[in-house]
Every structure is written in structure tokens, then in C-alpha cells.
């Protein structure tokens, strides 16, 4: 491990807090030191208060901030002397501690200080850095962990036996530090948890962390416990029905639809195929901090009933020793490891499922290296339980406000790269769904930077490509809840006597046949949608009110509408709703160039504006209006509606 400090970069930060921001980000850049909100840092600064008096403050990382991206407002200023005096109390409950931290901040709007704030305050150095370094938890999750740490560091560090974070840990660290620290102490190792470094200078404190962790990594290398992570490029075959059934079961345990994300990873492939998983992955997380993301154990195999039995037994065993009454959390696994399916992470959002996968990626390193060092040995169940059911940890997961309507659900939109398709993609993402956009246009791949967006270049009239796209969807997210059939073509106007067979067949193949194939291929997935499958079909005003010159288009959309009606009849027993939208005169789509628009307006002897609003309500229709109806029709308000045909045209006297 190398220091990332660069004098050139550091120069931009001229004050103490600025340098704290800089070195915190350096720590955050290395996921083998801290992962997703893990770790915390602080700096002690004396500032004048509003009365003109000097006041010593601890600027400590606030909850909700990641070290990698932290900035000045991410550090909460807390009165230092008060914190030091708190550490001398005999006891302090969690609610009392949080109250003391929050009510002794000098900026009322600052985030809640880290639960390790008191610990930071008691260490008599200006800068304090804390990480959950992989190498340290690897060595300490081991039968001889403590003696190995002594062997590596001699008297360079103070060692603290495992104890849950919070007030008791802060008090213990303060005591042990007072008794054991000396002029050459560089840090403090917390067994099964992580490591602290400190100094009066930002660079020195940061580089002590790097020095100490590097020593641990070198120790692993010397003991042939470093290059022991196998990779296997052979991916697993996907059984999409099995995956959708698994998602439905897990969602029902979680009480809401969940994303099942199978990351493409050679490391995960190799790990899932091991023969010793019962021993290695069924012990517990690498550090208790991870339990709120991963639960104590991954589900090994696909037996959800057994997982629930085991989780319930774990809860009832360990809650007996809890300080207060606990309510069992949902018993749904957050990780599935199966010899035929690989490693699958489970969460309410794609972002969170990615976090679980990231954590497990590092957990595998820790487990396999600790195994090579003589045997992985996680903390006892009680310690993990206490952390999982610790109110302060649970608070980290509780976000304010209610979740968007389609949280945990998955939508697939054909023709998603432009017009109504793209507007539907955006509207569904905004409503909380994970969204797959299919389009012929390769730009679809990178069209949106959202973590829950998956763009796939796909010709929907090519069955092989479509099947692959559906497999990709199920691999990435676990199933399908909503299907938006939008892809279609509108050929140049031709009268019936002029239509050639090729044009007719081409329109039918894209506007009708491809949709039949999509429906058929997605049926088994929609059938297993936790809240019932939904199909939204983009029809056309031309179905109820056709015009001359568009026979192929109108006939294809009419046939599609009839297909939708029969589908609604057949799939109703599976809880799948099928509805059709008939938009008209949506001009912000690819086919309506300014020239075409002007020509059509001229044809009716109207201005472009008058032409655009030529409907009963006199309103202009946009793709986003149709997309809003797609979201509505897939939502709770239409939960008892199927086979409906809804116009979205501002009111058309021929349709009415
Ligand atoms: Zn920690």
C-alpha cells in the first residue's frame, strides 16, 4: 500500500479542516481501507465563538457522508472539552450519547457526528484517522489474531479487544491508551474491527495509516496468504424462471419487491463454486459494521425456508441477552451464494444491491486470506447480533421520506432511446424502478448515468438478440415487473393500392410480431412479479380513428391492440394487467422534424402552434405526458384495471 499524498494537490488546502478533507478523501479512494460510508476521521481546531472566546472543537465525520467524497460541511464541529468529560462518565446510553453529540455541536445544521466521536476526542492528537482496512480484519479474524498483531507491530500500536462501537468502546480505548501509549505509539488496532492512526500533522497521521496497513499486507504476503484469490471466467447459466421465482420468494420475505443483482465477476464465480462454503461463508461478516448491509450470513443454496428458520433461531437466541426488547427485522437474505447461480446481492435499490456486492467482494478477500493464514474466524453471533440490532446502526439505513412507488421493481422499455420510450425510461427511473431500455440505436447503452439504468442495443425483431437482452435484464436485476411495448415504425404515407408486400411485412414484423415475441418471452417473468406484472402498450389514435395513407401502421396498431385484449384475458389469472395507451400528435419525437411539422401544419392551413394544439382541450402533448400515463397505468391507481384503452390526445372529436 502506497501513500497517495501529493504536495501539489495538498497545496490547495491551506487550513487544518481543508487538509482534513484532503487526507480523508485519500483514505476514501482506497476501497481496501474503507467502503461505502465506513471509517471516520477528525481534526481538533480552536476557533473563536460568537462571544469572541477561544473554543476547542472536534470536527468529526458526520453520518451520511462518504470519506471518498467528503467536503467541509461533512464534518460536524462538537465542543471538545465536553466530549472528553463525557468519556469519564461511568455509563452513557445510546440515546443520551446521540443527544450529547447533537446538542454540543456549534453548527445547528451540521450532520449527526459519527458514533465514534468520543473516541476521537479522547486521543490527544490533532488528526485522527480510522479505517476498517481489509488487511487488519483479515489478520484479526483469525484464531491467533491478537498474537499476530503483536508480532507485526511490536509496541507501535495499542491493541483493543473487540467491543461494540459507541460509548463503551470510547471509554475502553481512552483507558487503554492512557496506560499503554508512549512516544512511539503510531496507532491503535481494534480486533475484528479496524485501525486508528493519529498525529498532530495531517500528512503524518494519514501516512502512519498507510505505513501500518502496508505492514499488515506485507505480513500476509510473507505468510503466503496474499495471492490466494482464485478467478473463474466461466459464467453461470441463467434459468430465468428459477431466478424470478427466487425473487418473488425473497420479496415476500422482505415485504416489498427486491432487486436481485448477479454481478459479472470472475472472483464471485470462483467463490460460489468452492466446496468449503459451509465452513467459510457461514461464519459471519468480516467486520460487524457490514452486518446492516449483508446480514450475518449469506443464504447458501436456494432454500429460503431454511434461511428463514435459521435467521429466526439466530434472532431468538441472541435477543435474550439484548439490553432492551428487539423486534425482528425482515428475514430476507441480502446475499445468495449458490453453486449453479453464483453470488447474488439483494436490496431494495440497485444502488444498495451494488453496495452489498462491493462489500462481499472485499469479504471474499478477507475470508480466503484468513483461511490461508490458518483459518477464518469471525466474531461470535452475539457480537454480530448486537451490532445488527443496535439502534444507531439501524438509523443509518432509515432514510427520511417515503420510498418512490416502484422501489425494488424492474421495467423494460422497447424503443427506449428516444421520444415516448426515453421519456418513459426517465419517468420510471424517477418513480424508483430499475429500467432496461432496448433500442436499435447503440447510443442507448450510455444514454443515462443512473445506477438503475441498463441500456441494451437490440433489434427487437431478432429473437436471439431479444432473448439475450431479457437474460441480461434478469441477471442484472432478478426479474421483470413492467413491460412497456413502445418500439414501432411509422412509414411514409402510402395508399392501400400502392403498398408493396415488403413495406407491409416490415411494419407488421416490428409493430406487431416483435411485440408478440416480447410478450411471450417475458410472460414467465411477469407472472412472478411480486406485485403483479404490468404491460403498457403504446397504441395510437389511429386505432379508434384511422386516417388515409397509413394503412400498414394503423392495421399493425389495431392488431396489436387486439393482441393486448386477448393477452389481458389470458393472463388475468396470473395477476398480469395489460393496458393500451392511444397517443396522438406527440410532436417531440424523432419522426417529427421541424420541416415535417411545418409541412403538415401548412396542409391544414394552420400555424405550427395551432396545429400542435389542434384538439378539444387545446393543449400541446409531449412525450413526457405519455410517459406520465405509462407510470400511472402501471401504478396503484390502475391496480384493478386491465384491457383498458386510454386516449392521450387532448381530446379528439373523432375518437370521442
Ligand atoms: Zn469503525
Amino acid at each position: 500500500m502506497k501513500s497517495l499524498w501529493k504536495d501539489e494537490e495538498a497545496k490547495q488546502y491551506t487550513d487544518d479542516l481543508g487538509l482534513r478533507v484532503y487526507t480523508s478523501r485519500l483514505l476514501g479512494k482506497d476501497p481496501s481501507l474503507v467502503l461505502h460510508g465506513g471509517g471516520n476521521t477528525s481534526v481538533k481546531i480552536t476557533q473563536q465563538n460568537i462571544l469572541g472566546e477561544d473554543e476547542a472543537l472536534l470536527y468529526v465525520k458526520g453520518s451520511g457522508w462518504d470519506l471518498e467524497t467528503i467536503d467541509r460541511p461533512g464534518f460536524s464541529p462538537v465542543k471538545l472539552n465536553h466530549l472528553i468529560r463525557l468519556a469519564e462518565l461511568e455509563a452513557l446510553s445510546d440515546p443520551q450519547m446521540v443527544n450529547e453529540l447533537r446538542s454540543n455541536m456549534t453548527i445547528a445544521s451540521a450532520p449527526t457526528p459519527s458514533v465514534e466521536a468520543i473516541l476521537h476526542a479522547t486521543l490527544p492528537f490533532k488528526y485522527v484517522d480510522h479505517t476498517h482496512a481489509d488487511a487488519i480484519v483479515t489478520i484479526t479474524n483469525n484464531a491467533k489474531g491478537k498474537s499476530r498483531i503483536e508480532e507485526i507491530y511490536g509496541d507501535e500500536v495499542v491493541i483493543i479487544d473487540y467491543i461494540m462501537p459507541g460509548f463503551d468502546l470510547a471509554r475502553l480505548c481512552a483507558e487503554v491508551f492512557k496506560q499503554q501509549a508512549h512516544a512511539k505509539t503510531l496507532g491503535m488496532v481494534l480486533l475484528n474491527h479496524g485501525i486508528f492512526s493519529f498525529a498532530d500533522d495531517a500528512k503524518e497521521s494519514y501516512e502512519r495509516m498507510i505505513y501500518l496497513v502496508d505492514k499488515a499486507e506485507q505480513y500476509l504476503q510473507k505468510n503466503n496468504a496474499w495471492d490466494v484469490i482464485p478467478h473463474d471466467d466461466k459464467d453461470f447459466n441463467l434459468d430465468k424462471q428459477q431466478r424470478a421465482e427466487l425473487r418473488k420468494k425473497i420479496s415476500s420475505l422482505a415485504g416489498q419487491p427486491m432487486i436481485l443483482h448477479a454481478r459479472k465477476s470472475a472472483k464471485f464465480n470462483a467463490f460460489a463454486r468452492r466446496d468449503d462454503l459451509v465452513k467459510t461463508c457461514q461464519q459471519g461478516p468480516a467486520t460487524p459494521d457490514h452486518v446492516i448491509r449483508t446480514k450475518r450470513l449469506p443464504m447458501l443454496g436456494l432454500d429460503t425456508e431454511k434461511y428463514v428458520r435459521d435467521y429466526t433461531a439466530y434472532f431468538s437466541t441472541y435477543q435474550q441477552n439484548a439490553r432492551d426488547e428487539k423486534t425482528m427485522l425482515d428475514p430476507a437474505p441480502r446475499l445468495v451464494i449458490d453453486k449453479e447461480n453464483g453470488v447474488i446481492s439483494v436490496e431494495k435499490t440497485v444502488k444498495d444491491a451494488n453496495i452489498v456486492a462491493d462489500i462481499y467482494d472485499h469479504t471474499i478477500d478477507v475470508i480466503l486470506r484468513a483461511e490461508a493464514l490458518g483459518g477464518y474466524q469471525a466474531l461470535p453471533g452475539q457480537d454480530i447480533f448486537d451490532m445488527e440490532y443496535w439502534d444507531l446502526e439501524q438509523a443509518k439505513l432509515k432514510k427520511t421520506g417515503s420510498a418512490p412507488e416502484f422501489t425494488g421493481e424492474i421495467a423494460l422499455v422497447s424503443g427506449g432511446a428516444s421520444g415516448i420510450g426515453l421519456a418513459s425510461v426517465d419517468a420510471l427511473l424517477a418513480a424508483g424502478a430499475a429500467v432496461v431500455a432496448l433500442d436499435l440505436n447503440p447510443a442507448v447503452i450510455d444514454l443515462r448515468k443512473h445506477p438503475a439504468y441498463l441500456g441494451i442495443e437490440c433489434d427487437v425483431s431478432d429473437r436471439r438478440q431479444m432473448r439475450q437482452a431479457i437474460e441480461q435484464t434478469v441477471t442484472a436485476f432478478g426479474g421483470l415487473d413492467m413491460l412497456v411495448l413502445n418500439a414501432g415504425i411509422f412509414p411514409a404515407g402510402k395508399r392501400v393500392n400502392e403498398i408493396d408486400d415488403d413495406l407491409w411485412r416490415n411494419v407488421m414484423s416490428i409493430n406487431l410480431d416483435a411485440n408478440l415475441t416480447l410478450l411471450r418471452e417475458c410472460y414467465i417473468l411477469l407472472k412472478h412479479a411480486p406485485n403483479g406484472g404490468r404491460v403498457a402498450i403504446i397504441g395510437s389514435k389511429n386505432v379508434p380513428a384511422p386516417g388515409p395513407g397509413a394503412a400498414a401502421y394503423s392495421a399493425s396498431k389495431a392488431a396489436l391492440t387486439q393482441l393486448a385484449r386477448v393477452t389481458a384475458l389470458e393472463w388475468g389469472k396470473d395477476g398480469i394487467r395489460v393496458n393500451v395507451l392511444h397517443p396522438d400528435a406527440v410532436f417531440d419525437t424523432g419522426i417529427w422534424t421541424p420541416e415535417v411539422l411545418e409541412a403538415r401544419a401548412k396542409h391544414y392551413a394552420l400555424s405550427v402552434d395551432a396545429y400542435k394544439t389542434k384538439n378539444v382541450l387545446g393543449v400541446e402533448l409531449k412525450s413526457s405526458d405519455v410517459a406520465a400515463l405509462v407510470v400511472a397505468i402501471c401504478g396503484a391507481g390502475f391496480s384493478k384495471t386491465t384491457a383498458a384503452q386510454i386516449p392521450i390526445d387532448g381530446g379528439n372529436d373523432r375518437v370521442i
Side-chain angles (χ1 to χ4, degrees):
M1 179 164 287
K2 296 255 175 325
S3 167
L4 302 175
W5 175 283
K6 290 200 180 77
D7 287 335
E8 270 309 297
E9 286 174 3
K11 254 192 234 157
Q12 300 164 32
Y13 304 93
T14 49
D15 64 325
D16 295 339
L17 184 57
L19 285 165
R20 178 69 284 174
V21 168
Y22 177 56
T23 55
S24 300
R25 287 183 187 169
L26 295 183
L27 292 175
K29 261 187 202 165
D30 188 339
S32 73
L33 287 174
V34 296
L35 265 179
H36 299 296
N40 41 59
T41 57
S42 68
V43 56
K44 300 178 181 80
I45 300 173
T46 299
Q47 281 177 331
Q48 264 191 5
N49 65 19
I50 201 157
L51 303 172
E53 299 157 351
D54 277 349
E55 194 165 48
L57 300 172
L58 177 80
Y59 275 84
V60 63
K61 193 194 99 165
S63 67
W65 286 78
D66 260 320
L67 288 183
E68 189 178 5
T69 50
I70 199 162
D71 217 330
R72 290 165 185 271
F75 289 93
S76 308
V78 197
K79 291 174 187 166
L80 179 62
N81 292 333
H82 189 76
L83 292 176
I84 291 171
R85 292 189 58 201
L86 286 178
E88 289 158 8
L89 290 173
E90 274 303 309
L92 191 65
S93 73
D94 294 334
Q96 283 172 327
M97 180 175 79
V98 173
N99 181 61
E100 290 304 309
L101 295 179
R102 284 203 59 82
S103 59
N104 283 280
M105 303 194 307
T106 57
I107 298 177
S109 59
T112 300
S114 158
V115 296
E116 282 163 326
I118 299 176
L119 204 172
H120 281 256
T122 61
L123 295 169
F125 297 90
K126 188 171 182 67
Y127 287 89
V128 176
D129 295 41
H130 170 47
T131 70
H132 301 152
D134 287 355
I136 300 292
V137 294
T138 302
I139 293 164
T140 59
N141 277 306
N142 197 281
K144 292 187 207 138
K146 192 169 182 177
S147 61
R148 289 181 191 279
I149 292 293
E150 285 165 349
E151 181 190 338
I152 296 167
Y153 296 114
D155 62 355
E156 285 177 327
V157 301
V158 169
I159 302 174
I160 310 286
D161 289 330
Y162 179 78
I163 173 172
M164 204 170 97
F167 180 72
D168 293 345
L169 174 65
R171 242 193 76 165
L172 177 69
C173 289
E175 247 175 62
V176 177
F177 185 88
K178 247 182 228 155
Q179 289 161 9
Q180 297 182 10
H182 49 81
K184 286 186 184 142
T185 304
L186 304 178
M188 187 156 68
V189 169
L190 281 59
L191 299 180
N192 306 84
H193 173 165
I195 178 166
F196 279 81
S197 65
F198 26 70
D200 288 326
D201 172 82
K203 182 182 179 190
E204 199 175 349
S205 182
Y206 164 71
E207 291 195 334
R208 281 180 178 178
M209 175 65 72
I210 302 303
Y211 164 81
L212 292 170
V213 176
D214 182 58
K215 259 191 150 174
E217 290 187 348
Q218 286 191 23
Y219 177 85
L220 289 168
Q221 281 166 2
K222 259 185 282 173
N223 286 277
N224 301 318
W226 187 259
D227 294 313
V228 292
I229 319 295
H231 288 71
D232 183 343
D233 288 326
K234 193 174 175 294
D235 289 328
F236 294 91
N237 290 326
L238 174 75
D239 176 341
K240 65 182 189 183
Q241 176 171 346
Q242 183 192 54
R243 187 67 53 87
E245 282 171 0
L246 178 66
R247 174 169 174 259
K248 188 170 186 179
K249 278 188 201 156
I250 290 179
S251 298
S252 117
L253 295 176
Q256 68 155 87
M258 298 292 266
I259 300 289
L260 267 63
H261 170 60
R263 178 177 291 181
K264 196 172 159 56
S265 155
K267 191 195 283 185
F268 282 1
N269 291 349
F271 190 74
R273 291 190 173 109
R274 290 178 76 90
D275 291 322
D276 60 354
L277 289 177
V278 175
K279 173 170 165 258
T280 52
C281 87
Q282 296 294 290
Q283 283 202 34
T287 165
D289 212 36
H290 293 166
V291 72
I292 54 166
R293 293 287 189 180
T294 62
K295 281 213 148 89
R296 179 174 170 234
L297 303 175
M299 177 167 90
L300 204 50
L302 304 180
D303 188 347
T304 47
E305 274 119 54
K306 178 177 186 299
Y307 190 84
V308 172
R309 278 197 307 277
D310 292 350
Y311 187 80
T312 311
Y314 154 78
F315 176 81
S316 45
T317 305
Y318 296 117
Q319 67 140 356
Q320 294 167 21
N321 303 320
R323 281 186 207 167
D324 43 26
E325 184 91 4
K326 302 289 180 194
T327 309
M328 194 174 92
L329 299 166
D330 76 70
R334 296 303 189 268
L335 277 156
V336 179
I337 306 180
D338 180 63
K339 278 200 155 46
E340 258 98 58
N341 288 275
V343 176
I344 301 167
S345 62
V346 180
E347 253 305 341
K348 297 180 181 79
T349 65
V350 178
K351 185 175 164 234
D352 287 340
N354 278 325
I355 291 177
V356 174
D358 288 346
I359 288 175
Y360 212 69
D361 188 280
H362 286 267
T363 303
I364 290 174
D365 293 351
V366 171
I367 289 176
L368 295 183
R369 286 177 179 146
E371 278 290 302
L373 202 60
Y376 179 64
Q377 187 181 306
L379 282 169
Q382 186 73 51
D383 290 316
I384 305 300
F385 176 89
D386 290 344
M387 194 73 172
E388 185 175 359
Y389 282 86
W390 187 25
D391 296 341
L392 301 186
E393 281 295 284
Q394 291 302 321
K396 283 190 194 169
L397 294 180
K398 277 187 199 123
K399 288 171 191 133
T400 47
S402 56
E405 179 170 17
F406 296 147
T407 298
E409 296 202 293
I410 302 136
L412 187 146
V413 181
S414 72
S418 63
I420 291 170
L422 180 57
S424 300
V425 167
D426 286 336
L428 288 159
L429 281 173
V435 182
V436 181
L438 309 187
D439 208 287
L440 265 181
N441 182 353
V444 73
I445 295 166
D446 295 314
L447 217 45
R448 291 292 178 264
K449 284 280 164 262
H450 199 291
Y453 173 80
L454 173 63
I456 303 175
E457 183 186 350
C458 173
D459 176 353
V460 289
S461 63
D462 178 328
R463 267 181 218 169
R464 196 186 52 85
Q465 284 186 34
M466 195 194 294
R467 281 201 187 113
Q468 269 177 2
I470 293 168
E471 279 205 5
Q472 260 180 280
T473 303
V474 178
T475 301
F477 303 135
L480 187 68
D481 303 277
M482 292 169 276
L483 175 62
V484 181
L485 299 179
N486 163 71
I489 52 169
F490 188 92
K494 277 205 169 144
R495 305 226 155 225
V496 171
N497 50 312
E498 297 169 332
I499 296 174
D500 60 73
D501 292 352
D502 285 348
L503 174 108
W504 180 264
R505 283 196 196 110
N506 190 35
V507 172
M508 288 298 165
S509 119
I510 293 166
N511 291 6
L512 182 61
D513 303 356
N515 286 324
L516 171 67
T517 316
L518 255 175
L519 283 166
R520 198 173 55 209
E521 295 293 322
C522 291
Y523 166 67
I524 202 70
L525 301 176
L526 294 166
K527 187 181 166 182
H528 290 98
N531 287 347
R534 281 139 282 166
V535 182
I537 295 177
I538 306 301
S540 167
K541 179 237 28 173
N542 284 31
V543 175
Y553 178 78
S554 302
S556 71
K557 289 290 190 181
L560 178 61
T561 302
Q562 198 70 345
L563 173 64
R565 296 173 73 196
V566 177
T567 311
L569 283 170
E570 292 181 1
W571 293 4
K573 65 171 171 26
D574 299 314
I576 304 170
R577 302 191 283 110
V578 185
N579 292 295
V580 185
L581 280 59
H582 291 316
D584 184 31
V586 179
F587 296 116
D588 60 342
T589 63
I591 41 175
W592 290 94
T593 60
E595 296 76 45
V596 174
L597 199 53
E598 217 153 293
R600 295 308 296 163
K602 218 175 193 173
H603 177 81
Y604 288 97
L606 292 169
S607 70
V608 168
D609 276 347
Y611 177 65
K612 277 184 173 176
T613 55
K614 191 171 65 69
N615 55 50
V616 173
L617 294 172
V619 291
E620 184 183 341
L621 281 135
K622 299 213 161 108
S623 297
S624 56
D625 298 320
V626 183
L629 187 58
V630 166
V631 166
I633 214 167
C634 291
F638 282 87
S639 64
K640 293 175 185 173
T641 298
T642 193
Q645 297 180 50
I646 306 175
I648 169 142
D649 55 10
N652 179 307
D653 47 10
R654 286 185 56 216
V655 173
I656 292 169

